Amino acid sequence: MARINASSTLSRFRVLDLSRVRAGPTCVRILADFGADVIRIEPPAGIDPNEAMFAADRTGGDFQNLNRNKRSMTLNLKKPEGLAVFKQLVASADVVVENWRPDVKSRLGVDYEALRAINPRIILASISGFGQDGPYADRPGFDQIIQGMGGLMSVTGFPGGGPLRAGLAVADCGTGIYAAVGVLLALIEREQSGVGQWVHSSLLHTQIALMDFQAARYLNDGDTPVQAGNDHPTSSPMGLFEGSDGAFNLGASGEGNWRRLCACLEMPQWLEDPRYATEKLRVANRASLNECLAQRFREHPVAHWVGLLNQAGVPAGPVYSIPQVFEDEQVRHLGVAQPVEDEAGHAYRLISQPVALTRTPARIARPAPGWGEHTREMLGEIGYAAADIERLYGEGVV
């Protein structure tokens, strides 16, 4: 098959994807969904002792969701001829994405300086746990390690409950998104300068950046964030409440929302209560205010309150299980779960890109590729004859 035309947005660019696990593939998925010609380069089976982590279950939902819209070729970069093939690919590529430990690139001879010597326009995106240099550069970095070191686990959970990880790969996914932004910025800058550059992103820096207002509170106000459970650390009333049949979230921060909430709940006396006169006082007296709200909310079911509050302009929403998420009418309207089918008839539902372009939208055009499915095709594209391709297979290069 020829290249996958998911979108025209990035269709003029070719990306060589050396990345594994989650952060790198998250970055490259964005580029692929917007039409870049992404070549996932994987070692032949049996070369990498960790291959079960990133390549074995090709039909699993996680692998499919991360690696759709890509082509796949196998290539053993530890063999001289495998490295030579890769360098031929670099000569006509726009972007290389990798998430090895920083020293691996140099040992293999595919660091930025080496790639730039082949193609001055190349953009290398390097994703790491801790950065490309510094005292922790050679440490392995997994998402939960970084959640702990980046402060997220210290503010997640209930007071006194001890550190708690978030229920998704915050650092991995966030780093992949930042890396994609970096690649796009480098591509835009290249239109002016004519040359590529090296884009770095790390899980540690990303996780700290994602701490956002929590980190800024400490750096600028000396206020050390702590666990606040389901309450917002600096706004009230804002958190989880119980209706007569379950839980829902309320976001009534700010004076306008506070007044609308009191009117909606027919509790004008709260506006006259000096304990709740300002946001700061409502935070200081959160326990008593939450108890007042809890008594009122127990009178009706969640659907009643969510409907009434939103009608009044006060943010509120139910707490869904994952199946309930995909049953929601707005989620269906947004087309979040997109169906796609492979050539063998296997059907998948994958998560669409959450950013919409009106003229050149992203699209899930094809499921994730089979292991090395496009190796012969790619070798043919860079000039290898059929006999040479068979020889490369025989020598374990591909």
Side-chain angles (χ1 to χ4, degrees):
M1 63 170 284
R3 59 177 297 164
I4 299 163
N5 293 311
S7 171
S8 62
T9 307
L10 301 176
S11 61
R12 63 191 182 278
F13 300 118
R14 172 170 285 183
V15 179
L16 306 181
D17 179 15
L18 297 168
S19 68
R20 302 290 179 264
V21 192
R22 187 165 312 281
T26 296
C27 164
V28 179
R29 175 177 61 193
I30 296 170
L31 308 178
D33 285 0
F34 281 101
D37 181 23
V38 172
I39 314 303
R40 179 178 165 85
I41 298 175
E42 309 177 68
I47 300 296
D48 190 329
N50 295 315
E51 67 185 27
M53 289 179 59
F54 60 78
D57 185 10
R58 314 292 288 201
T59 61
D62 188 28
F63 185 90
Q64 287 289 325
N65 196 51
L66 280 171
N67 294 292
R68 75 278 186 108
N69 287 339
K70 303 177 185 180
R71 295 193 280 174
S72 169
M73 70 177 295
T74 52
L75 196 57
N76 188 349
L77 297 180
K78 295 180 180 179
K79 287 183 174 287
E81 195 158 3
L83 188 59
V85 171
F86 178 71
K87 289 181 175 180
Q88 284 185 257
L89 291 166
V90 168
S92 61
D94 297 282
V95 180
V96 175
V97 179
E98 59 86 15
N99 60 350
W100 298 320
R101 292 192 201 181
D103 64 319
V104 173
K105 293 184 291 298
S106 298
R107 287 195 283 106
L108 288 175
V110 294
D111 55 89
Y112 176 63
E113 293 302 322
L115 300 184
R116 185 173 67 169
I118 300 166
N119 178 359
R121 292 175 58 80
I122 200 70
I123 293 162
L124 172 63
S126 293
I127 297 170
S128 62
F130 296 93
Q132 294 299 305
D133 48 35
Y136 298 166
D138 291 332
R139 287 189 183 186
F142 278 148
D143 182 90
Q144 184 161 343
I145 308 301
I146 304 301
Q147 285 193 31
M149 294 182 69
L152 179 59
M153 291 175 67
S154 75
V155 300
T156 304
F158 289 92
L164 185 67
R165 69 180 293 272
L168 70 159
V170 178
D172 275 343
C173 294
T175 305
I177 294 168
Y178 275 123
V181 171
V183 168
L184 296 173
L185 291 171
L187 287 169
I188 292 170
E189 193 280 336
R190 193 180 71 176
E191 293 178 357
Q192 179 178 2
S193 68
V195 295
Q197 56 186 303
W198 189 10
V199 175
H200 304 189
S201 62
S202 72
L203 273 66
L204 181 61
H205 197 159
T206 292
Q207 181 61 81
I208 297 169
L210 292 174
M211 293 301 291
D212 194 52
F213 77 97
Q214 296 279 49
R217 287 169 58 201
Y218 168 72
L219 290 174
N220 297 283
D221 306 325
D223 186 2
T224 300
V226 296
Q227 293 165 313
N230 288 314
D231 291 319
H232 191 280
T234 62
S235 295
S236 178
M238 193 168 184
L240 188 73
F241 293 89
E242 295 282 337
S244 62
D245 62 346
F248 68 97
N249 280 308
L250 170 70
S253 63
E255 296 307 318
N257 278 327
W258 168 241
R259 286 192 290 270
R260 284 190 289 272
L261 175 66
C262 293
C264 180
L265 299 185
E266 299 178 347
M267 301 297 288
Q269 63 269 33
W270 291 350
L271 293 173
E272 307 302 323
D273 193 319
R275 295 175 299 171
Y276 312 140
T278 66
E279 179 98 50
K280 189 173 182 179
L281 286 168
R282 291 193 290 274
V283 171
N285 295 290
R286 189 197 305 272
S288 64
L289 176 55
N290 281 1
E291 181 53 36
C292 291
L293 288 164
Q295 292 179 22
R296 186 77 171 92
F297 287 141
R298 282 193 288 265
E299 296 174 7
H300 297 287
V302 167
H304 169 85
W305 291 121
V306 169
L308 190 68
L309 290 164
N310 277 287
Q311 187 176 11
V314 179
V319 178
Y320 285 152
S321 66
I322 297 300
Q324 288 173 320
V325 168
F326 292 101
E327 293 168 2
D328 184 272
E329 60 181 347
Q330 185 65 23
V331 175
R332 290 177 180 270
H333 173 78
L334 292 172
V336 174
Q338 289 289 313
V340 66
E341 190 173 288
D342 64 20
E343 294 174 357
H346 298 125
Y348 303 95
R349 295 173 69 209
L350 307 178
I351 308 302
S352 61
Q353 283 295 334
V355 57
L357 276 64
T358 57
R359 283 194 303 104
T360 59
R363 185 168 66 96
I364 301 176
R366 191 179 186 279
W371 202 336
E373 179 181 343
H374 306 99
T375 302
R376 284 184 170 83
E377 177 181 301
M378 289 305 308
L379 290 170
E381 287 185 15
I382 58 174
Y384 280 82
D388 292 326
I389 294 172
E390 294 308 316
R391 176 179 59 80
L392 293 177
Y393 272 102
E395 294 175 354
V397 175
V398 297

